[in-house]
Amino acid sequence: MDKLVIEGGSRLAGEVRISGAKNAALPILCAALLSTEPLVLENVPDLNDIGTMLALLAQMGVRVTREGSTVSLDASTLDNPTAPYEMVKTMRASILVLGPLVARCGIAKVSLPGGCAIGARPVDQHIKGLQAMGAEVSVEHGYVQARVSQLKGARLFTDMVTVTGTENLMMAACLADGETVIENAAREPEVVDLAQCLSAMGARISGAGTDVIRIRGVDRLHGARHRIMPDRIETGTFLCAAAATGGEVRLLGTSTGYLDAVVDKLMDAGCDIVSEKTPQHEAIVLRAPARLKAVSIRTSPYPAFPTDMQAQFMAINCVAEGSAVIRETIFENRFMHAVELIRLGADIKIDGNTAFVTGVQRLQGATVMATDLRASASLVVAGLVAEGETHVERIYHLDRGYEHIEAKLTGLGARIRREKA
Ligand code: EPZ
């Protein structure tokens, strides 16, 4: 297993290009299952999770070709509507094949994802929605088994805001007979990006980005070409890394439009953030103060503060001036980075879903262990400002969601290298 070795103390400066969004690419790759014509996707990030999803689609019979960040998928030869446990257990987002398979094939056998480090992560809302659309869905021997002759449009109401639940049901509804209305829908920008791709394929969707999405089913979807949106969480992560180090960076190929809650909090912490936008270019420029002011956060569904940025903000609060309260309202166990940050000298107290962080002058480098994707990112941010060397172990978590992170950080002046653990 690899680890990252980080020598703290460098002030990040310079330019870095943000990659395509993992959490937009994953559902959009699954959208290819809905058509017998090729779907060509640009700006697909080079991530382990993307590789896992492409392998999952290929074993179903989808023809996949990749040239740099452009991926072409041809699902005309789809002949195995199954997602086996061995593949699904490594990536929960595999559940996103369920809706498209039921809509396209009338049958699907998808392994239950199981929980992960941050929570139980049930998929009951995905199942409830497909049942409401007429599918017979049962859970047997760890697999979701679904069958239907033709999905029917329905009015769906999810018990809580669920991003992949909304995405699964929206994709299924594209080929249903009649209109489907999803109420309490997730409003995340990745849902909107998926809706734009589906519309380019001929779907009839309105309301994406609001909490009521209407889909008028059509007989078939055709091929399309779509460019994946920039990764707002990678953007936020690099903004936090630059902010923690008192740096000045320009992030290329991204915009603040998807990150208002995060940008507001970084400005409250003392950063100066400017958006650049021309027809050929979009970027964010951040200038940080020598030391940040502590900022409290409370995670909630979009457009509020994203849970995927909670760990990174805990890291910057560890060295900020003052104290902050961090409330995690989405997942039941998303504070595992706290004990690792404490190993670096942070002052953090946890009480249920609330963390109390008091900034210290300096963190001290140490060996720490990554436990999940965004926890890993928070440990890298902390390592950039800790005194001496920080070894972040089990960085396979990091490689799931950050493209070439050590090369990008090195380009900004960080002293960071990958080693065999
Ligand atoms: C998506 O996960 C993202 N993953 C997550 O990003 C992100 O943290 C999360 O949304 C919240 O924004 C992808 O898009 C691939 P949810 P998802 O369904 O869809 C409960 C990352 O770091 N729930 O919105 O799985 C669930 O347990 C990852 O990139 C049910 O109870 O999250 C959670 O408490 C981590 N039943 C809450 O809802 C269901 O059927 C929100 O989960 C579905 C969800």
Side-chain angles (χ1 to χ4, degrees):
M1 283 193 272
D2 290 355
K3 67 178 178 179
L4 286 178
V5 178
I6 305 166
E7 176 69 40
S10 301
R11 180 180 172 277
L12 295 192
E15 291 189 346
V16 66
R17 179 160 293 279
I18 295 299
S19 303
K22 167 178 82 81
N23 290 349
L26 289 171
I28 290 172
L29 287 170
C30 298
L33 294 167
L34 292 166
S35 173
T36 57
E37 296 178 18
L39 178 62
V40 180
L41 301 173
E42 297 171 354
N43 200 33
V44 178
D46 178 15
L47 301 171
N48 290 359
D49 272 8
I50 298 296
T52 302
M53 183 62 86
L54 292 176
L56 179 64
L57 295 171
Q59 63 87 40
M60 292 179 186
V62 177
R63 279 199 290 260
V64 175
T65 54
R66 198 171 186 174
E67 281 176 51
S69 63
T70 298
V71 172
S72 302
L73 303 110
D74 173 357
S76 60
T77 50
L78 171 60
D79 59 6
N80 173 32
T82 302
Y85 174 69
E86 298 66 40
M87 302 186 88
V88 173
K89 70 180 178 185
T90 64
M91 185 185 62
R92 300 192 62 271
S94 308
I95 193 66
L96 283 162
V97 302
L98 179 62
L101 286 177
V102 177
R104 165 82 186 277
C105 310
I107 188 168
K109 184 181 175 187
V110 176
S111 169
L112 270 178
C116 73
I118 63 178
R121 313 285 298 271
V123 292
D124 54 298
Q125 302 299 307
H126 304 235
I127 292 171
K128 187 182 91 166
L130 289 172
Q131 288 171 329
M133 296 168 80
E136 277 175 44
V137 186
S138 61
V139 178
E140 294 159 20
H141 308 294
Y143 279 79
V144 179
Q145 313 241 20
R147 180 183 298 276
V148 71
S149 53
Q150 170 62 51
L151 287 173
K152 299 257 181 305
R155 179 184 165 279
L156 311 177
F157 192 96
T158 56
D159 296 351
M160 78 294 294
V161 174
T162 160
V163 174
T164 51
T166 300
E167 292 165 344
N168 236 335
L169 297 173
M170 184 164 72
M171 287 191 280
C174 288
L175 296 180
D177 181 13
E179 181 180 64
T180 297
V181 179
I182 303 174
E183 301 202 39
N184 202 22
R187 299 163 58 185
E188 270 69 3
E190 293 77 19
V191 174
V192 176
D193 206 31
L194 172 61
Q196 285 169 350
C197 179
L198 291 167
S199 300
M201 296 168 73
R204 302 173 69 177
I205 301 173
S206 61
T210 75
D211 61 354
V212 180
I213 301 177
R214 292 175 186 282
I215 306 103
R216 300 222 316 261
V218 294
D219 293 338
R220 54 185 292 281
L221 294 185
H222 52 70
R225 176 180 283 268
H226 177 79
R227 181 175 180 78
I228 302 294
M229 66 176 280
D231 193 316
R232 63 192 171 99
I233 305 303
E234 183 192 24
T235 301
T237 304
F238 275 92
L239 289 174
C240 283
T245 61
E248 179 169 347
V249 296
R250 173 178 278 107
L251 307 186
L252 302 172
T254 187
S255 84
T256 57
Y258 315 113
L259 271 175
D260 291 343
V262 171
V263 168
D264 283 358
K265 287 294 179 184
L266 286 169
M267 292 170 94
D268 291 349
C271 295
D272 177 34
I273 298 177
V274 173
S275 238
E276 294 177 346
K277 199 161 177 67
T278 68
Q280 296 76 28
H281 162 92
E282 60 176 2
I284 302 174
V285 177
L286 174 140
R287 291 179 190 83
R291 189 178 187 198
L292 298 170
K293 290 195 287 298
V295 282
S296 293
I297 60 168
R298 183 183 189 283
T299 67
S300 279
Y302 192 87
F305 192 93
T307 175
D308 290 352
M309 284 301 305
Q310 176 259 108
Q312 298 91 316
F313 264 72
M314 189 179 288
I316 68 173
N317 274 314
C318 288
V319 290
E321 185 185 339
S323 298
V325 178
I326 294 178
R327 279 196 178 75
E328 172 56 62
T329 73
I330 304 291
F331 291 112
E332 61 269 31
N333 187 33
R334 204 171 197 177
F335 280 154
M336 283 171 298
H337 38 286
V339 285
E340 300 301 313
L341 292 167
I342 290 167
R343 282 183 50 71
L344 297 173
D347 178 353
I348 305 171
K349 293 176 182 55
I350 303 288
D351 178 9
N353 72 341
T354 304
F356 301 89
V357 186
T358 302
V360 295
Q361 281 296 342
R362 297 291 293 172
L363 295 175
Q364 298 90 30
T367 297
V368 289
M369 189 173 76
T371 51
D372 60 86
L373 171 55
R374 306 305 174 181
S376 323
S378 81
L379 299 178
V380 171
V381 170
L384 290 171
V385 296
E387 224 153 48
E389 268 193 3
T390 295
H391 292 216
V392 182
E393 298 187 335
R394 299 194 180 180
I395 55 161
Y396 56 87
H397 291 291
L398 202 62
D399 294 335
R400 298 187 48 176
Y402 289 95
E403 187 181 57
H404 314 320
I405 191 164
E406 69 267 27
K408 289 189 176 186
L409 286 171
T410 301
L412 292 173
R415 285 170 290 174
I416 180 171
R417 66 180 187 275
R418 183 180 290 251
E419 283 186 359
K420 287 288 171 221

